[in-house]
Amino acid sequence: MDINSIYNSMQKALKGIVPEIELKYKAELVYKINNLKKEKNAIILGHNYMEPALFYTIPDIKGDSLELSRKAAEVDNDIIVFCGVKFMAETAKILNPNKTVLLPSQKAGCSLAESITADDVRQLKKSFPGVPVVTYVNTYADVKAESDICCTSSNAVSVVNSLKTDTVIFLPDEYLAKNVAKETGKHIIFPQILHGTEQKKNDVDILDYQLIGWKGRCEVHEKFSVEDINNVREQFSDVVVLAHPECSPEVVEASDFSGSTTTMIKYVEKLNGCKILLLTECSMGDNIIAENPDKDILRLCSVRCPHMNQITLEATLSSLTDLKYKIEIPEDIRLRAHKAVQRMIEIS
Ligand code: 13P
Ligand code: SF4
């Protein structure tokens, strides 16, 4: 496609969402990225939280964490550019050790991934010997390597149920763990791990625990409150509220639907004749609005993930031009992490 055709299709899809004054310049970036993609035999994976000008133009595959992990396992290009955050690009590398996996910004982290270390997981395993460890994909490779199986927001309950054990260590998202505990009828505890010392066994033995959690949180989803929902319901009695499971259990309880980013997108497609409130990252709201121009979508749009926000068309262009930033994972860690990711893909 030439620059004018790219510009025209962006104008059609993103009218009123991306300022007109930016479209010409962004169309030029898209044109350059598309050429480089072909020249270097690269594929671009894009998470649902990418900004609209990127989301609607350059990704060859788009989706939630689970869909992108599945697709990453199937690609046969030499280079994978991951328009998402570091833990997602690492998952692609875990599944494709011989390919070059690029993340366009070194600042694209995640508060959940930062909340736990491999050493924390080793301490927990010592305190709860034999209890299987389920790790949310929003973690780094060395944490996955200490785990039995990974999960995403769309399969967390089925992964926990698949283990057929009474007790599970579920890391690191406190809210996702509480939401899973509620759905699976498990009692949850958050043990304190004392670094460098043995956990006092009596501290935990007396508790009737079935899910052992960790106090990590998504810095975006923890911002939504029940008060936000009540305020909107007061103004719009017909509003249907959708919340990501990284929101607090109180927010999920006060909502009408909770699911992964792609499940939310699909749910919106089916709704008609009502207002819709999305409690998730705000660029995804823009993307849904672009896709559903006739629907009445409300959102609390101040909540943008600062990590996803690092991934722009400019950063992607320089990533493909200079082949940066390459994801590298030591092979012993990758092999152990691969088992946990692969096990999740198999049961999903
Ligand atoms: P999904 O798996 O639902 O895409 O969520 C990933 C994420 O980081 C949400 O904050
Ligand atoms: Fe991490 Fe939250 Fe950003 Fe998702 S939205 S990448 S969980 S900080």
Side-chain angles (χ1 to χ4, degrees):
M1 248 205 268
D2 61 27
I3 297 183
N4 267 340
S5 313
I6 295 171
Y7 170 73
N8 289 337
S9 72
M10 286 175 82
Q11 204 186 31
K12 202 165 156 218
L14 303 170
K15 199 172 183 326
I17 293 171
V18 176
E20 172 65 31
I21 198 163
E22 290 178 20
L23 280 180
K24 196 97 203 174
Y25 162 68
K26 298 218 173 192
E28 281 168 24
L29 295 174
V30 171
Y31 177 76
K32 288 181 189 162
I33 291 169
N34 285 344
N35 284 346
L36 275 175
K37 249 200 310 193
K38 260 191 234 140
E39 191 187 299
K40 302 200 177 189
N41 188 24
I43 188 165
I44 298 185
L45 307 192
H47 186 260
N48 291 327
Y49 285 169
M50 289 296 99
E51 57 163 349
L54 188 160
F55 188 74
Y56 280 104
T57 52
I58 56 168
D60 302 284
I61 299 171
K62 299 188 268 198
D64 64 15
S65 308
L66 180 61
E67 291 170 315
L68 293 177
S69 303
R70 278 212 201 102
K71 298 286 182 190
E74 293 165 9
V75 302
D76 56 12
N77 302 67
D78 299 325
I79 298 173
I80 300 172
V81 182
F82 213 113
C83 289
V85 289
K86 186 179 168 198
F87 74 80
M88 295 176 178
E90 278 196 350
T91 306
K93 183 70 182 178
I94 288 166
L95 294 162
N96 293 282
N98 299 324
K99 296 188 198 306
T100 299
V101 178
L102 304 175
L103 180 66
S105 167
Q106 285 179 308
K107 290 188 190 150
C110 169
S111 64
L112 280 169
E114 298 295 333
S115 74
I116 192 159
T117 65
D119 194 41
D120 293 327
V121 188
R122 285 190 284 270
Q123 296 260 2
L124 278 165
K125 291 202 288 192
K126 234 173 163 185
S127 299
F128 302 96
V131 178
V133 179
V134 177
T135 305
Y136 193 26
V137 283
N138 296 36
T139 47
Y140 294 129
D142 56 345
V143 166
K144 289 187 173 79
E146 296 298 331
S147 316
D148 294 285
I149 184 165
C150 289
C151 75
T152 70
S153 60
S154 65
N155 63 14
V157 170
S158 39
V159 165
V160 167
N161 285 337
S162 78
L163 293 171
K164 306 212 179 335
T165 53
D166 286 341
T167 305
V168 169
I169 299 175
F170 188 100
L171 309 169
D173 187 345
E174 172 189 348
Y175 287 160
L176 181 64
K178 283 179 172 167
N179 288 321
V180 169
K182 210 162 176 195
E183 231 179 300
T184 53
K186 288 187 185 291
H187 175 196
I188 185 161
I189 58 154
F190 293 89
Q192 236 203 324
I193 294 299
L194 309 167
H195 289 276
T197 55
E198 279 284 315
Q199 170 94 27
K200 271 195 274 151
K201 248 193 156 292
N202 286 347
D203 287 352
V204 288
D205 270 355
I206 46 163
L207 287 158
D208 167 30
Y209 56 84
Q210 290 156 321
L211 210 69
I212 297 153
W214 189 256
K215 295 262 180 181
R217 286 195 193 168
C218 163
E219 67 188 278
V220 173
H221 292 93
E222 72 171 351
K223 293 203 176 92
F224 298 114
S225 68
V226 174
E227 205 188 340
D228 293 331
I229 299 177
N230 291 343
N231 285 340
V232 173
R233 286 204 198 277
E234 262 171 40
Q235 292 174 66
F236 308 102
S237 56
D238 64 338
V239 69
V240 176
V241 182
L242 283 66
H244 193 275
E246 288 168 11
C247 292
S248 74
E250 294 77 17
V251 165
V252 169
E253 175 77 30
S255 304
D256 301 295
F257 175 81
S258 175
S260 77
T261 53
T262 293
T263 326
M264 288 169 102
I265 293 169
K266 290 191 176 142
Y267 196 84
V268 170
E269 281 164 10
K270 283 191 262 159
L271 289 172
N272 278 308
C274 58
K275 298 213 165 28
I276 302 163
L277 174 65
L278 298 168
L279 298 182
T280 192
E281 212 280 336
C282 70
S283 273
M284 190 174 103
D286 287 334
N287 295 335
I288 294 182
I289 289 169
E291 197 71 32
N292 300 271
D294 303 334
K295 299 202 174 163
D296 208 348
I297 296 170
L298 315 167
R299 82 218 135 81
L300 306 170
C301 50
S302 57
V303 191
R304 175 80 173 118
C305 171
H307 310 285
M308 295 282 183
N309 201 29
Q310 300 294 327
I311 310 299
T312 56
L313 287 170
E314 289 86 342
T316 309
L317 177 59
S318 84
S319 173
L320 260 172
T321 308
D322 300 331
L323 296 188
K324 64 184 186 187
Y325 296 91
K326 284 188 184 141
I327 299 288
E328 308 284 359
I329 302 170
E331 187 59 5
D332 58 323
I333 290 179
R334 190 198 68 80
L335 282 171
R336 287 187 291 132
H338 184 270
K339 273 192 198 157
V341 174
Q342 189 58 36
R343 201 171 160 197
M344 167 188 82
I345 290 175
E346 275 160 21
I347 75 139
S348 299

